[in-house]
Amino acid sequence: MELEMEFIRKMPSPQELKVDHPVEPAIYETKRRRDAEIRDILTGKDSRFLLIIGPCSADNEDAVVDYCQRLAEVQEQVKDTLYIIPRVYTNKPRTIGVGYKGMAHQPDPEGKEDMLAGIIACRNMHIRVIRETGFTCAEEILYPENHRYLSDLISYAAIGARSVEDQLHRMIASGGGIPVGMKNPTSGDISVMLNSIAAAQHEQQFLFRGWEVRTKGNPLAHAILRGYVDKFGKSLPNYHYEDLNLVDRLYKERNLKNPAVVVDANHSNSNKQYAEQVRIVNEVLHSRNLNPHIKTLVKGVMIESYIEGGNQKIGCVPHIYGKSITDPCLGWDDSEKLIYSIYDLC
């Protein structure tokens, strides 16, 4: 049976796109250095605390670079204790598949979908962030087919709650070459998340982009706790002391490599009440300071933050620069205060 879909155009391969849009060697040297530093944090060789922070979705290049430049100034003040990885997420998952899907789909949020222009725009934004701030960033692997268009530029990846049970996502994570955080599913089933970590840490052989490929396994695959939703649709948290103790025990029972947790302070942990991220991060740090096992396990937190607090609709008039057009984010002033508070508590 024929597929009922329109074939719009054949996309260039990731290799072809990289040849057509070359990157200077200094960019790759920055990535090599930061990849090594983040690896040392996740394996326990470096005691610094990871802070993965930035907009819900990276919708505007100038605003994202502006935000990252502000982060870079703060990073210089806290670099002995905190290690910042900006969130530059260019794919936006949609619960029912409708609406703005991120820069990879729409380089102009108010324009038409154009995947080729979108992927080029994503690469240009990541390159500009590295060039102007010295940061390499975090992305979500929402579409495995798209990942290699950016894999030479990013230093951290996440598999979302709705993708973490998907076999291809798990196998892509096993060959990621960088730390990949596996979120617990929306159901909250911790065993599903741990199964995903185990799959990502193992060697895998599968079909990818027309090739039969084999991976070596990714020892830096780890857990991201993001809260969950019960059968009544109510958001429930999983960042409390008892939750962290449970994950620590389950990691040990499964004998997984490099046990590590990053706590996502937004999403179902905060019920998308973005200001609650401050309280949640403080509780996580309190738990770390109470229990040396939790301190070793919890390597960082993930925070949704942008220049202006809250969010706005696409096409809003007047459009507010640096304000999220997807989920609401913590504003810059509160974010800066929170970073210094984390620094004091670590």
Side-chain angles (χ1 to χ4, degrees):
M1 187 174 71
E2 290 292 332
L3 293 173
E4 294 186 0
M5 60 176 68
E6 176 187 358
F7 288 78
I8 299 169
R9 65 183 162 201
K10 190 176 189 304
M11 295 285 284
S13 70
Q15 296 96 322
E16 291 168 341
L17 196 70
K18 291 166 188 175
V19 169
D20 291 340
H21 300 269
V23 174
E24 63 264 33
I27 296 289
Y28 290 134
E29 176 56 29
T30 298
K31 174 173 159 54
R32 185 204 61 76
R33 173 180 55 79
R34 281 181 56 85
D35 285 356
E37 290 168 345
I38 296 167
R39 185 183 307 115
D40 284 350
I41 292 170
L42 285 169
T43 57
K45 295 178 183 178
D46 185 327
S47 63
R48 283 180 290 179
F49 191 68
L50 289 174
L51 181 55
I52 304 162
I53 184 169
C56 172
S57 60
D59 53 62
N60 178 283
E61 180 181 310
D62 288 339
V64 168
V65 173
D66 180 352
Y67 176 86
C68 290
Q69 287 171 336
R70 300 178 191 209
L71 275 183
E73 293 179 8
V74 178
Q75 171 69 100
E76 190 61 27
Q77 304 302 315
V78 300
K79 63 184 179 182
D80 60 319
T81 300
L82 303 183
Y83 195 95
I84 295 175
I85 307 174
R87 280 175 53 111
V88 179
Y89 280 24
T90 56
N91 294 284
K92 173 63 181 172
R94 309 304 307 194
T95 303
I96 61 171
V98 177
Y100 175 64
K101 299 184 181 75
M103 186 179 284
H105 278 259
Q106 291 168 262
D108 177 356
E110 297 180 41
K112 294 180 180 179
E113 293 193 30
D114 185 334
M115 297 285 307
L116 179 57
I119 288 169
I120 292 170
C122 294
R123 283 189 62 81
N124 289 341
M125 179 167 59
H126 274 282
I127 290 167
R128 189 176 164 199
V129 170
I130 300 169
R131 187 181 288 141
E132 296 186 24
T133 71
F135 283 132
T136 48
C137 303
E139 270 273 13
E140 178 175 357
I141 303 176
L142 183 58
Y143 307 106
E145 296 85 354
N146 295 359
H147 174 60
R148 287 196 61 238
Y149 286 109
L150 292 174
S151 60
D152 61 321
L153 300 173
I154 62 174
S155 287
Y156 183 94
I159 304 290
R162 295 166 186 82
S163 303
V164 75
E165 296 186 69
D166 178 69
Q167 193 74 354
L168 183 56
H169 280 84
R170 293 175 173 189
M171 292 189 291
I172 292 296
S174 77
I178 57 173
V180 179
M182 317 295 279
K183 290 195 173 186
N184 64 266
T186 53
S187 68
D189 189 338
I190 297 299
S191 67
V192 169
M193 176 185 68
L194 292 169
N195 288 340
S196 296
I197 295 168
Q201 291 191 354
H202 276 84
E203 295 180 3
Q204 302 288 350
Q205 189 163 334
F206 57 101
L207 291 176
F208 183 62
R209 300 186 66 91
W211 285 78
E212 182 179 7
V213 299
R214 182 184 296 114
T215 68
K216 296 180 179 179
N218 186 350
L220 300 180
H222 61 278
I224 300 178
L225 297 178
R226 50 86 72 198
Y228 62 102
V229 180
D230 69 13
K231 64 182 180 180
F232 302 107
K234 180 181 178 182
S235 289
L236 296 170
N238 59 5
Y239 60 83
H240 295 310
Y241 183 90
E242 295 79 7
D243 300 303
L244 299 173
N245 255 337
L246 172 63
V247 175
D248 183 51
R249 177 172 63 80
L250 293 175
Y251 250 121
K252 290 171 181 172
E253 287 178 3
R254 289 182 177 238
N255 199 30
L256 294 169
K257 299 172 185 174
N258 301 312
V261 165
V262 170
V263 175
D264 179 348
N266 213 14
H267 297 98
S268 290
N269 270 331
S270 70
N271 194 24
K272 294 191 178 181
Q273 302 300 306
Y274 67 94
E276 289 294 295
Q277 294 181 102
V278 176
R279 177 188 59 78
I280 291 165
V281 168
N282 284 330
E283 180 175 328
V284 171
L285 293 174
H286 180 64
S287 296
R288 286 181 87 241
N289 289 331
L290 280 177
N291 185 326
H293 296 292
I294 291 177
K295 187 159 193 172
T296 300
L297 177 73
V298 178
K299 303 294 187 183
V301 291
M302 186 176 284
I303 298 165
E304 292 197 322
S305 157
Y306 212 176
I307 295 170
E308 299 294 336
N311 64 345
Q312 62 188 330
K313 292 183 178 179
I314 294 174
C316 181
V317 179
H319 177 81
I320 300 172
Y321 172 81
K323 190 169 188 175
S324 176
I325 59 172
T326 50
D327 290 347
C329 297
L330 201 65
W332 174 253
D333 289 345
D334 290 331
S335 299
E336 186 178 25
K337 290 176 187 175
L338 178 57
I339 294 170
Y340 285 119
S341 174
I342 294 169
Y343 177 73
D344 290 337
L345 291 171
C346 277

